[in-house]
Coordinates of all heavy atoms in Angstrom, one line a residue:
M19 N -6.3 9.5 -6.2 CA -5.8 8.4 -5.4 C -6.9 7.9 -4.6 O -7.6 8.5 -3.8 CB -4.7 9.1 -4.3 CG -4.3 8.1 -3.3 SD -3.1 6.9 -3.9 CE -1.6 7.8 -3.8
K20 N -7.2 6.5 -4.9 CA -8.3 5.9 -4.2 C -7.9 5.1 -3.0 O -8.7 4.4 -2.3 CB -8.9 4.8 -5.3 CG -9.7 5.7 -6.3 CD -10.1 4.7 -7.4 CE -11.0 5.4 -8.4 NZ -11.2 4.6 -9.7
L21 N -6.6 5.1 -2.8 CA -6.0 4.2 -1.6 C -5.9 5.1 -0.4 O -5.7 6.3 -0.4 CB -4.8 3.7 -2.0 CG -4.8 2.8 -3.3 CD1 -3.3 2.5 -3.7 CD2 -5.5 1.5 -3.0
R22 N -6.2 4.5 0.8 CA -6.1 5.1 2.0 C -5.3 4.4 3.0 O -5.1 3.2 2.9 CB -7.5 5.4 2.6 CG -8.4 6.4 1.9 CD -9.5 6.7 2.9 NE -10.5 5.7 3.0 CZ -11.7 5.7 2.5 NH1 -12.1 6.7 1.7 NH2 -12.5 4.6 2.7
K23 N -4.8 5.1 3.9 CA -3.9 4.4 5.0 C -4.9 3.4 5.7 O -6.0 3.6 6.0 CB -3.6 5.5 6.0 CG -2.6 5.0 7.1 CD -2.2 6.2 8.0 CE -1.5 5.7 9.2 NZ -1.2 6.7 10.2
G24 N -4.3 2.2 6.0 CA -5.0 1.1 6.6 C -5.9 0.2 5.7 O -6.3 -0.9 6.1
D25 N -5.8 0.5 4.3 CA -6.4 -0.3 3.4 C -5.6 -1.6 3.2 O -4.3 -1.6 3.2 CB -6.4 0.3 2.0 CG -7.5 1.3 1.9 OD1 -8.5 1.3 2.7 OD2 -7.5 2.2 0.9
E26 N -6.1 -2.8 2.9 CA -5.4 -4.0 2.6 C -5.3 -4.0 1.0 O -6.3 -3.9 0.3 CB -6.2 -5.3 3.0 CG -5.3 -6.5 2.9 CD -5.9 -7.7 3.2 OE1 -7.0 -7.8 3.4 OE2 -5.2 -8.8 3.1
V27 N -4.1 -4.1 0.5 CA -3.9 -4.2 -0.9 C -3.2 -5.4 -1.3 O -2.4 -6.0 -0.5 CB -3.2 -2.8 -1.4 CG1 -4.0 -1.6 -1.2 CG2 -1.9 -2.7 -0.7
E28 N -3.2 -5.7 -2.6 CA -2.5 -6.8 -3.2 C -1.5 -6.1 -4.3 O -2.0 -5.2 -5.0 CB -3.4 -7.8 -3.8 CG -2.6 -9.0 -4.3 CD -3.6 -10.2 -4.8 OE1 -4.5 -10.5 -4.0 OE2 -3.3 -10.7 -5.9
V29 N -0.3 -6.6 -4.2 CA 0.7 -6.2 -5.3 C 0.3 -6.8 -6.6 O 0.3 -7.9 -6.7 CB 2.1 -6.4 -4.8 CG1 3.2 -5.7 -5.7 CG2 2.3 -5.9 -3.4
L30 N 0.4 -5.9 -7.7 CA 0.1 -6.5 -8.9 C 1.3 -6.7 -9.9 O 1.4 -7.5 -10.8 CB -0.9 -5.5 -9.7 CG -2.2 -5.2 -9.1 CD1 -2.9 -4.1 -9.8 CD2 -3.0 -6.5 -8.9
S31 N 2.5 -6.0 -9.4 CA 3.6 -6.2 -10.3 C 4.8 -6.0 -9.5 O 4.8 -5.6 -8.3 CB 3.6 -5.1 -11.4 OG 3.6 -3.8 -11.0
G32 N 5.9 -6.3 -10.1 CA 7.2 -6.1 -9.4 C 7.6 -7.5 -8.6 O 7.0 -8.5 -8.7
K33 N 8.6 -7.3 -7.8 CA 9.2 -8.5 -7.2 C 8.2 -9.1 -6.1 O 8.3 -10.1 -5.6 CB 10.5 -8.3 -6.6 CG 10.6 -7.2 -5.3 CD 12.1 -7.1 -4.9 CE 12.1 -5.9 -3.9 NZ 11.9 -6.3 -2.6
D34 N 7.3 -8.2 -5.6 CA 6.4 -8.7 -4.5 C 5.1 -9.0 -5.0 O 4.1 -8.9 -4.3 CB 6.3 -7.6 -3.4 CG 7.5 -7.5 -2.5 OD1 8.1 -8.6 -2.3 OD2 8.0 -6.4 -2.1
R35 N 4.9 -9.2 -6.3 CA 3.7 -9.5 -7.0 C 2.8 -10.6 -6.2 O 3.4 -11.6 -5.8 CB 4.0 -10.0 -8.4 CG 2.8 -10.2 -9.3 CD 3.2 -11.0 -10.4 NE 2.2 -11.2 -11.2 CZ 1.8 -10.7 -12.4 NH1 2.6 -9.9 -13.0 NH2 0.7 -11.1 -13.1
A36 N 1.6 -10.3 -6.0 CA 0.7 -11.3 -5.4 C 0.8 -11.2 -3.8 O 0.0 -11.8 -3.1 CB 0.8 -12.7 -5.8
K37 N 1.7 -10.3 -3.3 CA 1.8 -10.2 -1.9 C 0.7 -9.3 -1.4 O 0.4 -8.3 -2.1 CB 3.2 -9.6 -1.6 CG 3.8 -10.1 -0.2 CD 5.0 -9.4 0.0 CE 6.2 -10.4 0.2 NZ 7.4 -9.7 0.7
R38 N 0.2 -9.5 -0.2 CA -0.7 -8.6 0.4 C -0.3 -7.9 1.6 O 0.6 -8.5 2.3 CB -2.0 -9.4 0.7 CG -2.9 -9.7 -0.4 CD -4.2 -10.3 -0.1 NE -4.9 -10.8 -1.2 CZ -6.1 -11.2 -1.3 NH1 -6.8 -11.4 0.0 NH2 -6.7 -11.7 -2.3
G39 N -0.7 -6.7 1.8 CA -0.2 -6.0 3.0 C -1.2 -4.8 3.3 O -2.0 -4.5 2.5
V40 N -0.9 -4.1 4.4 CA -1.7 -2.9 4.8 C -1.0 -1.7 4.5 O 0.3 -1.6 4.8 CB -2.2 -3.1 6.2 CG1 -2.8 -1.8 6.7 CG2 -3.0 -4.3 6.5
I41 N -1.6 -0.8 3.9 CA -1.0 0.6 3.7 C -0.7 1.3 5.0 O -1.5 1.6 5.8 CB -1.9 1.4 2.8 CG1 -2.1 0.8 1.4 CG2 -1.3 2.9 2.7 CD1 -2.9 1.6 0.5
M42 N 0.6 1.7 5.1 CA 1.2 2.3 6.3 C 1.1 3.8 6.1 O 0.8 4.7 7.0 CB 2.6 2.0 6.5 CG 2.8 0.5 6.7 SD 1.6 -0.3 7.8 CE 2.3 0.3 9.4
R43 N 1.3 4.3 4.7 CA 1.4 5.7 4.5 C 1.0 5.9 3.1 O 1.3 5.1 2.2 CB 2.9 6.2 4.6 CG 2.9 7.3 5.7 CD 4.3 7.6 5.9 NE 4.5 9.0 5.2 CZ 5.8 9.5 5.0 NH1 6.8 9.0 5.4 NH2 5.8 10.6 4.4
V44 N 0.4 6.9 2.8 CA 0.0 7.3 1.4 C 0.8 8.6 1.1 O 0.7 9.6 1.8 CB -1.6 7.7 1.3 CG1 -1.9 8.1 -0.1 CG2 -2.4 6.4 1.6
L45 N 1.6 8.5 -0.1 CA 2.3 9.8 -0.5 C 1.5 10.3 -1.7 O 1.8 10.1 -2.8 CB 3.7 9.3 -0.9 CG 4.4 8.5 0.2 CD1 5.7 7.8 -0.4 CD2 4.7 9.3 1.4
T46 N 0.5 11.2 -1.3 CA -0.3 11.7 -2.5 C 0.5 12.4 -3.5 O 0.2 12.2 -4.7 CB -1.3 12.8 -1.8 OG1 -1.8 12.2 -0.6 CG2 -2.6 12.9 -2.7
K47 N 1.4 13.2 -3.2 CA 2.2 13.9 -4.1 C 2.9 13.1 -5.1 O 2.9 13.4 -6.4 CB 3.2 14.8 -3.5 CG 3.9 15.9 -4.2 CD 4.5 16.9 -3.2 CE 5.7 16.3 -2.3 NZ 6.9 16.1 -3.0
D48 N 3.3 12.0 -4.8 CA 4.0 11.1 -5.6 C 3.2 10.0 -6.2 O 3.7 9.1 -7.0 CB 5.4 10.4 -4.9 CG 6.2 11.5 -4.4 OD1 6.5 12.5 -5.0 OD2 6.7 11.3 -3.3
D49 N 1.9 9.9 -5.8 CA 1.1 8.9 -6.2 C 1.7 7.5 -5.8 O 1.6 6.5 -6.6 CB 1.0 8.9 -7.8 CG -0.5 9.0 -8.2 OD1 -1.3 9.4 -7.3 OD2 -0.8 8.8 -9.3
K50 N 2.2 7.4 -4.6 CA 2.8 6.2 -4.0 C 2.3 5.8 -2.7 O 1.8 6.7 -2.0 CB 4.3 6.4 -4.0 CG 5.0 6.3 -5.4 CD 6.5 6.5 -5.2 CE 7.1 6.3 -6.7 NZ 8.6 6.6 -6.6
V51 N 2.5 4.6 -2.3 CA 2.0 4.2 -1.1 C 3.0 3.3 -0.4 O 3.9 2.7 -1.2 CB 0.7 3.3 -1.2 CG1 -0.5 4.2 -1.5 CG2 0.8 2.2 -2.0
I52 N 3.1 3.3 0.9 CA 4.0 2.4 1.6 C 3.2 1.3 2.2 O 2.3 1.6 3.0 CB 4.9 3.2 2.6 CG1 5.8 4.3 1.9 CG2 5.7 2.2 3.5 CD1 6.6 5.1 2.9
V53 N 3.5 0.1 1.7 CA 2.7 -1.1 2.2 C 3.6 -1.9 3.1 O 4.8 -2.1 2.8 CB 2.3 -1.9 1.1 CG1 1.3 -3.1 1.5 CG2 1.6 -1.1 0.0
E54 N 3.1 -2.3 4.3 CA 3.8 -3.1 5.2 C 4.4 -4.3 4.6 O 3.6 -5.1 4.1 CB 2.9 -3.3 6.5 CG 3.8 -3.9 7.6 CD 2.9 -4.1 8.9 OE1 1.6 -4.3 8.7 OE2 3.5 -4.1 9.9
G55 N 5.7 -4.6 4.7 CA 6.2 -5.7 4.1 C 6.3 -5.9 2.7 O 6.8 -7.0 2.2
V56 N 6.0 -4.9 2.0 CA 6.2 -4.8 0.5 C 7.3 -4.0 0.1 O 7.5 -2.9 0.6 CB 4.8 -4.4 -0.1 CG1 5.0 -4.2 -1.6 CG2 3.8 -5.5 0.2
N57 N 8.1 -4.4 -1.0 CA 9.2 -3.6 -1.5 C 10.2 -3.3 -0.4 O 10.6 -2.2 -0.2 CB 8.6 -2.4 -2.1 CG 9.7 -1.8 -3.2 OD1 10.6 -2.5 -3.6 ND2 9.5 -0.6 -3.5
V58 N 10.6 -4.3 0.4 CA 11.5 -4.1 1.5 C 12.9 -4.0 1.0 O 13.3 -4.8 0.3 CB 11.3 -5.2 2.6 CG1 12.4 -5.0 3.6 CG2 9.9 -5.2 3.1
A59 N 13.5 -2.9 1.3 CA 15.0 -2.8 1.0 C 15.8 -3.0 2.2 O 15.5 -2.5 3.3 CB 15.2 -1.4 0.4
T60 N 16.7 -3.9 2.1 CA 17.6 -4.2 3.3 C 18.8 -3.4 3.1 O 19.5 -3.5 2.1 CB 17.9 -5.6 3.4 OG1 16.8 -6.4 3.2 CG2 18.6 -6.0 4.6
R61 N 19.1 -2.5 4.1 CA 20.3 -1.7 3.9 C 21.4 -2.4 5.0 O 21.0 -2.7 6.1 CB 20.1 -0.3 4.4 CG 19.3 0.4 3.4 CD 19.3 1.9 3.9 NE 20.5 2.5 4.3 CZ 20.6 3.4 5.2 NH1 19.6 3.9 5.8 NH2 21.8 3.9 5.6
H62 N 22.5 -2.5 4.5 CA 23.7 -3.0 5.3 C 24.4 -1.9 5.9 O 25.2 -1.2 5.1 CB 24.5 -4.0 4.5 CG 23.8 -5.1 3.9 ND1 23.6 -6.3 4.6 CD2 23.0 -5.3 2.8 CE1 22.9 -7.2 3.9 NE2 22.5 -6.5 2.9
Q63 N 24.0 -1.6 7.1 CA 24.7 -0.5 7.7 C 25.9 -0.8 8.5 O 25.9 -1.8 9.4 CB 23.6 0.2 8.7 CG 24.2 1.3 9.5 CD 23.9 2.6 8.8 OE1 22.8 2.8 8.3 NE2 24.9 3.5 8.8
R64 N 27.1 -0.3 8.2 CA 28.2 -0.6 9.0 C 28.3 0.3 10.3 O 27.8 1.5 10.2 CB 29.5 -0.4 8.1 CG 30.6 -1.2 8.9 CD 32.0 -1.1 8.1 NE 31.9 -1.0 6.6 CZ 32.8 -0.5 5.9 NH1 33.8 0.2 6.4 NH2 32.7 -0.4 4.6
Q65 N 28.8 -0.3 11.3 CA 28.8 0.5 12.5 C 30.1 1.5 12.4 O 31.2 1.2 12.6 CB 29.1 -0.4 13.7 CG 28.9 0.4 15.0 CD 28.6 -0.6 16.2 OE1 28.4 -1.8 16.0 NE2 28.4 0.0 17.3
T66 N 29.8 2.7 12.1 CA 30.8 3.7 12.0 C 31.1 4.4 13.3 O 32.3 4.7 13.6 CB 30.5 4.7 10.8 OG1 29.1 5.3 11.1 CG2 30.6 4.1 9.4
K67 N 30.0 4.8 14.0 CA 30.2 5.4 15.2 C 29.8 4.5 16.3 O 28.8 3.8 16.1 CB 29.5 6.8 15.2 CG 30.1 7.8 14.3 CD 29.1 9.1 14.3 CE 29.2 9.6 12.9 NZ 27.9 10.2 12.4
P68 N 30.2 4.7 17.5 CA 29.8 3.8 18.6 C 28.2 3.9 18.8 O 27.6 2.9 19.2 CB 30.5 4.3 19.9 CG 31.6 5.1 19.3 CD 31.1 5.6 18.0
R69 N 27.6 5.1 18.6 CA 26.2 5.2 18.9 C 25.3 4.8 17.6 O 24.1 4.6 17.8 CB 25.8 6.7 19.4 CG 26.0 6.7 20.9 CD 25.6 8.0 21.4 NE 26.5 9.2 20.8 CZ 25.9 10.2 20.4 NH1 24.8 10.5 20.4 NH2 26.8 11.1 19.8
V70 N 25.8 4.6 16.5 CA 25.1 4.2 15.4 C 25.0 2.6 15.3 O 26.1 2.0 15.3 CB 25.8 4.7 14.0 CG1 24.9 4.3 12.8 CG2 25.7 6.3 14.0
K71 N 23.8 2.2 15.2 CA 23.6 0.7 15.2 C 24.0 0.2 13.9 O 23.6 0.6 12.8 CB 22.1 0.4 15.5 CG 22.0 -0.9 16.3 CD 20.5 -1.1 16.7 CE 19.8 -1.7 15.4 NZ 18.4 -1.8 15.5
G72 N 24.7 -0.9 14.0 CA 25.2 -1.6 12.7 C 24.3 -2.7 12.4 O 23.2 -2.9 13.0
G73 N 24.5 -3.4 11.3 CA 23.6 -4.6 11.0 C 22.8 -4.3 9.8 O 22.9 -3.3 9.1
R74 N 21.8 -5.1 9.7 CA 20.9 -5.0 8.5 C 19.5 -4.3 9.0 O 19.0 -4.5 9.9 CB 20.5 -6.3 8.0 CG 21.6 -7.1 7.4 CD 21.2 -8.0 6.4 NE 20.0 -8.8 6.7 CZ 19.9 -10.1 7.1 NH1 21.0 -10.9 7.0 NH2 18.8 -10.7 7.4
I75 N 19.2 -3.3 8.2 CA 18.0 -2.5 8.5 C 17.0 -2.7 7.4 O 17.3 -2.4 6.3 CB 18.3 -1.0 8.7 CG1 19.3 -0.8 9.8 CG2 17.0 -0.2 9.0 CD1 20.1 0.5 9.8
D76 N 15.8 -3.3 7.7 CA 14.8 -3.4 6.7 C 13.9 -2.2 6.6 O 13.4 -1.7 7.6 CB 13.9 -4.8 7.0 CG 14.7 -6.0 6.8 OD1 15.6 -5.9 6.1 OD2 14.2 -7.0 7.3
K77 N 13.7 -1.7 5.4 CA 12.9 -0.5 5.3 C 11.8 -0.7 4.2 O 12.1 -1.2 3.1 CB 13.8 0.6 5.0 CG 13.1 2.0 5.0 CD 14.2 3.1 5.1 CE 13.6 4.4 5.3 NZ 13.2 5.1 4.2
D78 N 10.6 -0.5 4.5 CA 9.6 -0.6 3.4 C 9.6 0.6 2.5 O 9.4 1.8 2.9 CB 8.1 -0.6 4.1 CG 7.9 -1.8 5.0 OD1 8.7 -2.8 4.7 OD2 7.1 -1.8 5.9
M79 N 9.8 0.4 1.2 CA 10.0 1.5 0.2 C 8.7 1.7 -0.5 O 7.9 0.8 -0.6 CB 11.0 1.1 -0.7 CG 12.4 0.9 -0.2 SD 13.1 2.4 0.7 CE 13.5 3.3 -0.7
P80 N 8.5 3.0 -0.8 CA 7.2 3.3 -1.5 C 7.0 2.6 -2.9 O 7.9 2.3 -3.6 CB 7.3 4.8 -1.8 CG 8.4 5.3 -1.0 CD 9.3 4.1 -0.7
V81 N 5.8 2.1 -3.1 CA 5.5 1.5 -4.4 C 4.4 2.5 -5.1 O 3.6 3.1 -4.4 CB 4.9 0.0 -4.3 CG1 5.9 -0.9 -3.9 CG2 3.7 0.0 -3.4
H82 N 4.4 2.4 -6.4 CA 3.5 3.3 -7.1 C 2.0 2.8 -7.0 O 1.8 1.6 -6.9 CB 3.8 3.3 -8.6 CG 3.2 4.5 -9.3 ND1 2.0 4.4 -10.0 CD2 3.6 5.8 -9.4 CE1 1.7 5.7 -10.4 NE2 2.7 6.6 -10.0
A83 N 1.1 3.7 -6.8 CA -0.3 3.4 -6.5 C -0.9 2.4 -7.6 O -1.8 1.5 -7.3 CB -1.1 4.6 -6.4
S84 N -0.4 2.5 -8.8 CA -0.9 1.7 -9.9 C -0.5 0.3 -9.8 O -0.9 -0.6 -10.5 CB -0.5 2.4 -11.2 OG 0.8 2.3 -11.3
A85 N 0.5 0.0 -9.0 CA 1.1 -1.3 -8.8 C 0.4 -2.1 -7.7 O 0.6 -3.3 -7.7 CB 2.5 -1.3 -8.5
V86 N -0.6 -1.5 -7.0 CA -1.3 -2.2 -6.2 C -2.9 -2.1 -6.3 O -3.3 -1.2 -6.9 CB -1.0 -1.8 -4.6 CG1 0.4 -2.0 -4.3 CG2 -1.4 -0.3 -4.4
A87 N -3.7 -3.1 -5.9 CA -5.1 -3.0 -6.0 C -5.7 -3.2 -4.6 O -5.3 -4.1 -3.8 CB -5.5 -4.0 -7.0
L88 N -6.8 -2.7 -4.4 CA -7.5 -2.9 -3.1 C -8.0 -4.3 -3.1 O -8.5 -4.8 -4.1 CB -8.7 -1.8 -3.2 CG -9.1 -1.4 -1.8 CD1 -7.9 -0.7 -0.9 CD2 -10.3 -0.3 -1.9
V89 N -8.2 -4.8 -2.0 CA -8.6 -6.1 -1.8 C -10.1 -6.1 -1.2 O -10.4 -5.5 -0.3 CB -7.8 -7.0 -0.8 CG1 -8.3 -8.4 -0.4 CG2 -6.4 -7.1 -1.3
C90 N -10.9 -6.7 -2.1 CA -12.3 -6.9 -1.7 C -12.4 -8.2 -0.9 O -11.8 -9.3 -1.3 CB -13.2 -7.0 -2.9 SG -15.0 -7.5 -2.6
P91 N -13.2 -8.3 0.3 CA -13.2 -9.5 1.0 C -13.8 -10.7 0.2 O -13.5 -11.8 0.7 CB -14.2 -9.1 2.2 CG -14.1 -7.6 2.2 CD -13.9 -7.1 0.8
K92 N -14.5 -10.4 -0.7 CA -15.2 -11.5 -1.5 C -14.4 -11.8 -2.7 O -14.2 -13.0 -3.0 CB -16.6 -11.0 -1.8 CG -17.4 -12.0 -2.6 CD -18.9 -11.6 -2.7 CE -19.5 -12.4 -3.9 NZ -19.3 -11.9 -5.2
D93 N -13.8 -10.8 -3.4 CA -13.2 -11.1 -4.7 C -11.8 -11.0 -4.8 O -11.1 -11.4 -5.8 CB -13.7 -10.0 -5.7 CG -15.3 -10.0 -5.8 OD1 -15.9 -11.1 -5.9 OD2 -15.8 -8.9 -5.6
G94 N -11.1 -10.6 -3.7 CA -9.7 -10.4 -3.8 C -9.3 -9.1 -4.3 O -10.0 -8.1 -4.2
A95 N -8.2 -9.0 -5.2 CA -7.8 -7.7 -5.7 C -8.7 -7.3 -6.9 O -9.1 -8.1 -7.8 CB -6.4 -7.9 -6.3
V96 N -9.3 -6.1 -6.7 CA -10.3 -5.6 -7.7 C -10.1 -4.1 -8.0 O -9.2 -3.5 -7.4 CB -11.7 -5.6 -7.0 CG1 -12.2 -7.1 -6.8 CG2 -11.7 -4.9 -5.6
R97 N -10.7 -3.7 -9.1 CA -10.8 -2.4 -9.4 C -11.9 -1.7 -8.5 O -12.9 -2.3 -8.2 CB -11.0 -2.2 -10.9 CG -9.9 -2.7 -11.7 CD -10.3 -2.9 -13.2 NE -10.7 -1.6 -14.0 CZ -9.8 -0.9 -14.4 NH1 -8.4 -1.2 -14.4 NH2 -10.0 0.2 -15.2
V98 N -11.6 -0.4 -8.3 CA -12.6 0.3 -7.4 C -13.3 1.5 -8.1 O -12.7 2.2 -8.9 CB -11.7 0.9 -6.1 CG1 -12.6 1.6 -5.2 CG2 -11.0 -0.2 -5.4
G99 N -14.6 1.7 -7.8 CA -15.3 2.7 -8.4 C -15.9 3.6 -7.2 O -15.7 3.3 -6.0
Y100 N -16.5 4.6 -7.5 CA -17.1 5.5 -6.5 C -18.6 5.5 -6.8 O -19.1 5.3 -7.9 CB -16.6 6.9 -6.6 CG -15.3 7.1 -6.2 CD1 -14.2 7.4 -7.0 CD2 -15.0 7.0 -4.8 CE1 -12.9 7.6 -6.5 CE2 -13.7 7.2 -4.3 CZ -12.6 7.5 -5.2 OH -11.4 7.8 -4.7
E101 N -19.3 5.7 -5.7 CA -20.7 5.7 -5.7 C -21.2 6.7 -4.7 O -20.6 7.0 -3.7 CB -21.4 4.3 -5.3 CG -22.2 3.7 -6.6 CD -22.5 2.3 -6.2 OE1 -23.1 2.1 -5.0 OE2 -22.5 1.5 -7.1
F102 N -22.4 7.4 -5.1 CA -23.0 8.3 -4.0 C -24.1 7.6 -3.4 O -25.0 7.1 -4.0 CB -23.4 9.6 -4.8 CG -22.1 10.4 -5.1 CD1 -21.7 10.3 -6.4 CD2 -21.6 11.3 -4.3 CE1 -20.6 11.0 -6.9 CE2 -20.5 12.1 -4.6 CZ -20.0 11.9 -6.0
K103 N -24.1 7.7 -2.1 CA -25.3 7.2 -1.3 C -26.5 8.2 -1.2 O -26.2 9.5 -1.7 CB -24.9 6.9 0.1 CG -23.8 5.7 0.1 CD -23.9 5.0 1.4 CE -23.3 5.7 2.6 NZ -23.1 4.8 3.7
A104 N -27.6 7.8 -0.8 CA -28.7 8.7 -0.8 C -28.5 10.0 -0.1 O -29.0 11.0 -0.5 CB -29.9 7.9 -0.2
D105 N -27.7 9.9 1.0 CA -27.4 11.2 1.6 C -26.2 12.0 1.2 O -25.8 13.0 1.6 CB -27.2 10.9 3.1 CG -25.9 10.1 3.3 OD1 -25.3 9.7 2.3 OD2 -25.4 9.7 4.5
G106 N -25.8 11.6 -0.1 CA -24.8 12.4 -0.7 C -23.2 12.1 -0.4 O -22.3 12.6 -1.0
T107 N -23.1 11.1 0.5 CA -21.8 10.8 0.8 C -21.1 9.9 -0.2 O -21.8 9.0 -0.9 CB -21.6 10.0 2.2 OG1 -22.6 9.0 2.2 CG2 -21.8 11.0 3.3
K108 N -19.9 10.1 -0.6 CA -19.2 9.3 -1.7 C -18.6 8.1 -1.0 O -17.8 8.2 0.0 CB -18.2 10.2 -2.2 CG -17.6 9.8 -3.5 CD -16.8 11.0 -4.0 CE -15.7 10.6 -5.1 NZ -14.8 11.7 -5.4
V109 N -18.8 6.9 -1.6 CA -18.2 5.8 -1.0 C -17.5 5.0 -2.1 O -17.8 5.1 -3.3 CB -19.2 4.8 -0.4 CG1 -19.8 5.4 0.9 CG2 -20.4 4.4 -1.3
R110 N -16.4 4.2 -1.7 CA -15.7 3.4 -2.6 C -16.4 2.0 -2.8 O -16.9 1.4 -1.8 CB -14.3 3.2 -2.2 CG -13.5 4.4 -2.2 CD -12.0 4.0 -1.8 NE -12.0 3.3 -0.6 CZ -10.9 2.9 0.0 NH1 -9.7 3.2 -0.5 NH2 -10.9 2.2 1.2
V111 N -16.5 1.5 -3.9 CA -17.2 0.2 -4.1 C -16.3 -0.6 -5.0 O -15.6 -0.2 -5.8 CB -18.6 0.4 -4.7 CG1 -19.5 1.1 -3.9 CG2 -18.6 1.1 -6.1
C112 N -16.5 -2.0 -4.8 CA -15.8 -3.0 -5.5 C -16.6 -3.0 -6.9 O -17.8 -3.1 -6.9 CB -16.0 -4.3 -4.9 SG -15.7 -5.8 -6.0
K113 N -15.8 -2.9 -8.0 CA -16.4 -2.9 -9.3 C -17.0 -4.3 -9.7 O -17.7 -4.3 -10.6 CB -15.3 -2.5 -10.4 CG -15.3 -0.9 -10.4 CD -14.8 -0.4 -11.7 CE -14.9 1.1 -11.8 NZ -14.1 1.6 -12.9
R114 N -16.5 -5.3 -9.0 CA -17.1 -6.7 -9.4 C -18.4 -6.9 -8.6 O -19.4 -7.4 -9.3 CB -16.0 -7.6 -9.1 CG -16.1 -8.9 -9.9 CD -14.9 -9.8 -9.7 NE -13.6 -9.1 -10.2 CZ -12.4 -9.6 -10.0 NH1 -12.3 -10.7 -9.2 NH2 -11.4 -9.1 -10.4
C115 N -18.4 -6.7 -7.3 CA -19.7 -7.1 -6.6 C -20.5 -6.0 -6.0 O -21.6 -6.2 -5.5 CB -19.3 -8.2 -5.5 SG -18.4 -7.4 -4.2
G116 N -19.9 -4.8 -6.1 CA -20.6 -3.6 -5.6 C -20.6 -3.4 -4.2 O -21.2 -2.4 -3.8
R117 N -19.8 -4.1 -3.5 CA -19.6 -4.0 -2.1 C -19.0 -2.8 -1.8 O -18.0 -2.4 -2.4 CB -18.9 -5.3 -1.5 CG -18.7 -5.1 0.0 CD -17.5 -6.1 0.3 NE -18.0 -7.5 0.2 CZ -18.2 -8.3 1.3 NH1 -18.0 -7.9 2.5 NH2 -18.6 -9.5 1.0
E118 N -19.4 -2.2 -0.6 CA -18.8 -0.9 -0.2 C -17.4 -1.3 0.4 O -17.2 -2.2 1.2 CB -19.6 -0.2 0.9 CG -19.5 1.3 0.9 CD -20.4 1.9 1.9 OE1 -21.5 1.8 1.8 OE2 -19.9 2.3 3.0
L119 N -16.3 -0.6 0.1 CA -15.0 -0.8 0.6 C -14.5 0.3 1.4 O -14.7 1.4 1.1 CB -14.1 -1.2 -0.6 CG -14.3 -2.4 -1.5 CD1 -13.4 -2.3 -2.7 CD2 -14.1 -3.6 -0.7
Ligands
LIG25 ZN1 -16.1 -7.5 -4.5

């Protein structure tokens, strides 16, 4: 999983294709991420009990990690690789321009 919480990503497929958003949660086990404003499901909740709020509830549903791409400030949606810096730390880089992401 190359994606992290707080990353800006672009959606590559599905109904939200080309939409951009920030990752709110990473579901490592399922290889999925929850992106703000992406794959929003609207639930129509009827007011059954007085204390349960009725109306429409928007919920961001998880999307598969392969359906989104990290956004490079220069190139837009890109493929990501890894590089090791001189001190041994592993960093993510844009495969197109080499910028650290
Ligand atoms: Zn780039």
